[in-house]
Amino acid sequence: MANPTGESGSDAVRLDFDRRLMLQFRGSLATSDAGLLAYRELDDVLGLSEMAGDVLADARSGKNGRHALAGLFRQSVFGRLAGYEDVNDAERLRHDPAMRWIVGGKAAQRSAASPSQMGRFEAQWLAAPKNFAALADLSGQWIDLVHGRRPPRGIVLDMDSSVSPTHGEQEMSVWNGHYACTCYHPLFVFNQFGDLERCALRAGNVHSADGWDDVLKPVVARYQGKVSRICFRADAAFAMPEVYEFLEAERIKYAIRLPANQVLQSRIGYLLTRPVGRPPHHVRRLHANFSYQAGTWTTPRRVIAKVEWHPGELYPRVGFIVTNMSRPAERVVAFYNKRGTCEQWIKEGKGAIKWTRLSCRTFAANAVRLQLHALAYNLGNFLRTLATPEPIKDWSLTSLKDKLIKIGAKVVSHGRYVIFQMAEVAIARQMFQEILRLIAELRPQPPPAPA
């Protein structure tokens, strides 16, 4: 470039390889996140941010606050949904036209909140005990709003832990030998639709099931009496008597992987003998049912064993499941195997929402950040499950972020209107209109006029 600052008297930048090309930088007149407006429409239809504004307390005194609490909340959640996981990103996002209109109020014509404002909002106001308790309950309350539009007949809950590596001196960040890193060890509960029911941040060195009751019991309490059945799945880390007893007392059907031991192995010894003859080229799968009572159990429980002989392998693969379901063993195993989708949703949260980005100094602030990430994840999943047309029904949250949210647009202002001239690249006009139509169908219908 001969003149990096552009020609005299112009804000354009010329390129030497073809002098017909001119570059103009108009940050406040263009956005790379115009697709967020569809999520803002869904937010308005479901009343998500409105609910957050009702349950969160504003810690500010006086009347000089430029941005309403609901607007600050939207800036936090929608920014994370678009992949901006740091408060520092607010320095640019405050001028982004899509974000300004999403925040609303005075931000639409001026600017959204600054990094310092967002830092106080997240690390101080939301970290206050009452606000944090309300924030932790908010995911479940959002899901109840969604189910109010489309009530499910039954709920399947999947519980699992994960790892959030840390790279500084965050409080309660501890070395975890299983993950071989210094980390936090959060706990999650999902439903069968991929919604994150509840989560909790924990120290890095706790057991996978530590604090399971604080996370699971509020979710179960919300659903009791509202759905016809509740089912629960978890891996071997949650194979504990207190978990079984709670689920049985609440009349919840469960399938939990059981760690193998010599007693269990001896009960299926007849299935562990290598079959006679030439092995087949397909997996040979066998099942067994029996009653079993461990030394710490107060009552016997049904255990299902699955034995798989794989081609080319000398020994079988063996797994045990403890359950109170009465369905055939094959169906219980098939039901348990669907727990793998929970691990996929955790990967989506890490990849698309970046919820492992917990870089604040204090544990309380990082716990707030995880809850905000969870809400951003749920907002993204609501649109995926409620308002995506058939051709993009199976897109992941990452694909939706890259192709729907990241739509570039030029902003043109008139006296009465503001127009976002959106690029048609991955999402065409007809597809975007169909998304808005599906969102509109979720809006409550006004009562009929009296005759």
Side-chain angles (χ1 to χ4, degrees):
M1 296 172 57
N3 187 5
T5 61
E7 295 189 308
S8 176
S10 172
D11 62 352
V13 176
R14 294 264 186 168
L15 298 174
D16 288 339
F17 79 90
D18 192 326
R19 297 293 290 175
R20 293 172 296 179
L21 294 179
M22 300 176 63
L23 309 181
Q24 290 185 334
F25 296 86
R26 305 285 180 86
S28 61
L29 301 178
T31 178
S32 61
D33 302 312
L36 279 177
L37 297 173
Y39 293 84
R40 180 64 178 89
E41 184 75 358
L42 180 64
D43 173 32
D44 180 68
V45 167
L46 297 177
L48 304 179
S49 293
E50 182 180 356
M51 172 179 281
D54 291 338
V55 300
L56 297 175
D58 196 335
R60 293 173 292 186
S61 59
K63 300 181 179 180
N64 59 347
R66 176 185 297 180
H67 305 292
L69 186 141
L72 295 171
F73 176 82
R74 278 195 292 268
Q75 187 169 339
S76 285
V77 172
F78 280 80
R80 285 170 167 81
L81 183 60
Y84 304 107
E85 68 272 16
D86 275 331
V87 169
N88 292 338
D89 294 319
E91 185 60 43
R92 187 185 71 80
L93 286 178
R94 64 186 303 205
H95 303 295
D96 183 272
M99 182 57 68
R100 288 193 287 112
W101 281 97
I102 285 169
V103 171
K106 296 179 181 179
Q109 304 300 329
R110 300 173 65 179
S111 64
S114 66
S116 60
Q117 289 173 309
M118 294 305 300
R120 288 192 297 272
F121 172 67
E122 294 184 7
Q124 296 180 19
W125 303 350
L126 294 185
K130 289 185 178 180
N131 271 346
F132 181 76
L135 195 66
D137 292 335
L138 201 52
S139 283
Q141 294 171 0
W142 278 16
I143 293 170
D144 288 342
L145 285 176
V146 171
H147 290 173
R149 303 296 199 277
R150 297 183 180 179
R153 289 183 296 177
I155 289 294
V156 179
L157 300 176
D158 290 298
M159 181 173 254
D160 203 357
S161 64
S162 184
V163 58
S164 292
T166 56
H167 306 283
E169 296 182 356
Q170 293 97 315
E171 287 181 347
M172 299 178 67
S173 169
V174 187
W175 175 265
N176 186 300
H178 176 75
Y179 295 110
C181 66
T182 302
C183 62
Y184 289 123
H185 194 186
L187 185 61
F188 302 94
V189 175
F190 291 86
N191 63 31
Q192 72 267 36
F193 308 110
D195 304 321
L196 179 49
E197 294 277 356
R198 198 173 182 90
C199 63
L201 190 65
R202 306 175 301 175
N205 61 347
V206 301
H207 185 267
S208 294
D210 187 75
W212 67 270
D213 49 344
D214 293 333
V215 178
L216 180 60
K217 288 182 178 180
V219 178
V220 171
R222 276 183 32 242
Y223 282 117
Q224 286 291 23
K226 296 181 180 178
V227 294
S228 59
R229 66 183 182 276
I230 305 175
C231 299
F232 178 82
R233 294 182 294 222
D235 63 16
F238 300 88
M240 302 186 299
E242 52 267 35
V243 176
Y244 311 146
E245 292 167 1
F246 167 73
L247 296 172
E248 291 161 357
E250 297 291 335
R251 298 183 180 180
I252 296 173
K253 299 297 183 181
Y254 62 84
I256 302 174
R257 189 174 181 89
L258 193 63
N261 59 47
Q262 291 184 352
V263 176
L264 295 174
Q265 295 277 7
S266 65
R267 297 293 296 271
I268 60 168
Y270 63 98
L271 296 178
L272 303 181
T273 303
R274 187 169 182 84
V276 179
R278 186 182 298 274
H281 295 290
H282 62 273
V283 177
R284 184 179 297 174
R285 189 173 290 108
L286 306 170
H287 298 90
N289 276 286
F290 55 89
S291 179
Y292 169 75
Q293 182 176 357
T296 57
W297 299 3
T298 58
T299 182
R301 292 182 172 91
R302 183 189 184 195
V303 172
I304 294 173
K306 182 183 70 171
V307 179
E308 292 182 342
W309 292 93
H310 287 252
E313 296 184 5
L314 185 60
Y315 298 102
R317 304 180 188 180
V318 181
F320 298 95
I321 297 173
V322 59
T323 183
N324 60 350
M325 294 180 171
S326 58
R327 63 181 69 177
E330 294 84 352
R331 290 183 57 194
V332 174
V333 172
F335 170 78
Y336 174 81
N337 287 343
K338 292 180 181 178
R339 196 194 68 83
T341 56
C342 172
E343 298 177 356
Q344 179 61 35
W345 294 325
I346 291 177
K347 290 179 181 178
E348 285 197 337
K350 291 180 177 180
I353 310 299
K354 308 289 179 57
W355 69 29
T356 58
R357 183 73 172 180
L358 305 174
S359 53
C360 291
R361 175 66 181 85
T362 66
F363 181 82
N366 284 321
V368 168
R369 288 176 60 83
L370 179 64
Q371 298 298 333
L372 291 170
H373 283 300
L375 293 167
Y377 168 90
N378 278 332
L379 177 57
N381 195 60
F382 292 160
L383 188 134
R384 175 171 60 177
T385 56
L386 299 174
T388 48
E390 199 59 38
I392 64 173
K393 202 73 176 175
D394 296 328
W395 282 13
S396 67
L397 291 185
T398 301
S399 295
L400 286 171
K401 182 183 74 173
D402 293 342
K403 298 179 181 180
L404 174 59
I405 293 177
K406 297 297 182 180
I407 295 178
K410 178 183 177 182
V411 184
V412 180
S413 299
H414 296 290
R416 297 176 60 186
Y417 301 101
V418 175
I419 301 173
F420 280 72
Q421 297 178 344
M422 314 203 27
E424 289 187 278
V425 182
I427 300 292
R429 172 182 176 176
Q430 292 78 7
M431 183 71 71
F432 203 93
Q433 285 181 318
E434 180 65 11
I435 292 173
L436 295 180
R437 184 191 68 80
L438 293 171
I439 293 174
E441 290 182 351
L442 299 170
R443 192 178 293 277
Q445 297 299 316

